[in-house]
Amino acid sequence: MNSDANPNDHRPKIMISDSPPGVSDRVSRLIADALSENPSLVIGLATGGSPVGTYRRLVNLHRTQGLDFSQATTFNLDEYVGLAEDHPQSFRWYMQQNLFEHIEIDPVRTNFLDSMASDIAETASQYEQAITDAGGIDLQLLGIGSNGHIAFNEPSSPVDCRTREVRLSDQTIQSNSRFFDSIDDVPKSAITMGIGTILEARKIVLLATGENKAKAVAAAVNGTISSDCPASLLRTHGDVIFVIDRAAASLL
Ligand code: F6R
């Protein structure tokens, strides 16, 4: 499938900034504008290195311009299996440190996958139900793995997969070991929203910076739409924006 042959191949809108701070500026503005328009926005959130600057700017907009999160609802994309919520590498902890403790959001409306649950399949289906009950995700923020993963949907994940437990690829474990003391400490599995879950968001914003993302970004934008590069499956959605820096755009 390519753009010429397939009318269902929607090229994402691409915004290129000179550097990572420019990406953070743009993404935070997109979120702030959506939130100002709809204070009850349901936002899907990503973790990892890429959105840290975006969250910093949102905190700043809250402090300096009163950006109001009090009615917003959030759903995080994923969580490592087996890390307690106060583990410094858990995504719940990350969100507390980087955003939630600085913005006056109602904790009841911040949703995380419970990766310590004894029945992970049940937790996953409750999460899907909670998203539906919230009216669906209005704006989903995504990063991209250097292997093209979105959330923790690794290559070969089907387009219609839902929230579930997955095994992390060796490449993801290697790449995320930078956040841990040693590679052996990186959990081997995670719970993640599925690609089908993500594609139901009304609007999707993917951010990527740095040369190590260039190949994945090029495959997502110009390659075949295929589970080999999960981010390419975003082209089946009609409202996706890639906000990337020059380095991440270098192979486009
Ligand atoms: C994190 C997530 C992952 C990351 C991706 C990129 O919640 O869902 O898909 O977005 O691994 O991570 P960074 O930004 O650390 O390069």
Side-chain angles (χ1 to χ4, degrees):
M1 267 194 273
N2 64 39
S3 308
D4 297 333
N6 178 10
N8 297 320
D9 180 352
H10 306 278
R11 196 181 157 78
K13 184 171 174 191
I14 298 176
M15 299 169 93
I16 301 175
S17 295
D18 280 340
S19 62
V23 170
S24 302
D25 275 342
R26 277 190 153 134
V27 176
S28 58
R29 216 167 296 275
L30 284 168
I31 296 172
D33 287 350
L35 192 55
S36 303
E37 218 168 273
N38 174 13
S40 305
L41 199 71
V42 180
I43 318 172
L45 295 173
T47 56
S50 309
V52 169
T54 296
Y55 295 143
R56 200 167 293 140
R57 278 162 182 73
L58 287 173
V59 170
N60 201 36
L61 287 171
H62 170 71
R63 288 193 178 138
T64 59
Q65 294 175 34
L67 183 65
D68 180 13
F69 289 85
S70 63
Q71 301 304 312
T73 296
T74 64
F75 286 90
N76 264 81
L77 276 171
D78 40 20
E79 183 59 277
Y80 290 117
V81 166
L83 294 194
E85 57 186 64
D86 59 351
H87 188 289
Q89 295 310 330
S90 79
F91 293 159
R92 187 188 284 262
W93 185 259
Y94 169 108
M95 289 310 307
Q96 282 305 124
Q97 301 302 307
N98 286 293
L99 187 63
F100 294 156
E101 76 180 31
H102 311 287
I103 58 166
E104 292 166 32
I105 190 164
D106 183 349
V108 172
R109 279 199 278 264
T110 62
N111 295 277
F112 291 93
L113 283 153
D114 178 6
S115 68
M116 300 292 276
S118 53
D119 187 343
I120 286 190
E122 177 60 17
T123 289
S125 86
Q126 285 169 358
Y127 207 64
E128 293 270 348
Q129 190 57 49
I131 294 172
T132 304
D133 293 347
I137 291 175
D138 294 307
L139 191 160
Q140 177 64 58
L141 185 61
L142 294 177
I144 182 171
S146 53
N147 62 358
H149 74 210
I150 47 174
F152 276 138
N153 296 286
E154 301 284 26
S156 90
S157 304
V159 66
D160 57 356
C161 61
R162 312 297 308 189
T163 304
R164 69 209 185 287
E165 182 170 358
V166 293
R167 246 195 108 63
L168 300 178
S169 70
D170 291 345
Q171 192 174 340
T172 297
I173 290 172
Q174 176 65 47
S175 163
N176 289 7
S177 65
R178 71 193 194 278
F179 298 118
F180 291 81
D181 289 340
S182 101
I183 193 163
D184 297 332
D185 295 336
V186 184
K188 306 290 177 283
S189 60
I191 321 186
T192 182
M193 272 192 215
I195 296 175
T197 323
I198 290 168
L199 287 171
E200 283 168 8
R202 285 181 265 281
K203 186 182 199 69
I204 298 174
V205 177
L206 182 148
L207 77 167
T209 60
E211 219 178 291
N212 68 326
K213 298 293 172 72
K215 227 171 129 186
V217 166
V221 173
N222 293 327
T224 305
I225 296 180
S226 145
S227 290
D228 292 348
C229 174
S232 71
L233 300 170
L234 296 172
R235 302 213 316 265
T236 62
H237 189 287
D239 192 351
V240 179
I241 308 180
F242 277 43
V243 187
I244 56 183
D245 70 351
R246 286 210 182 281
S250 60
L251 297 177
L252 288 181

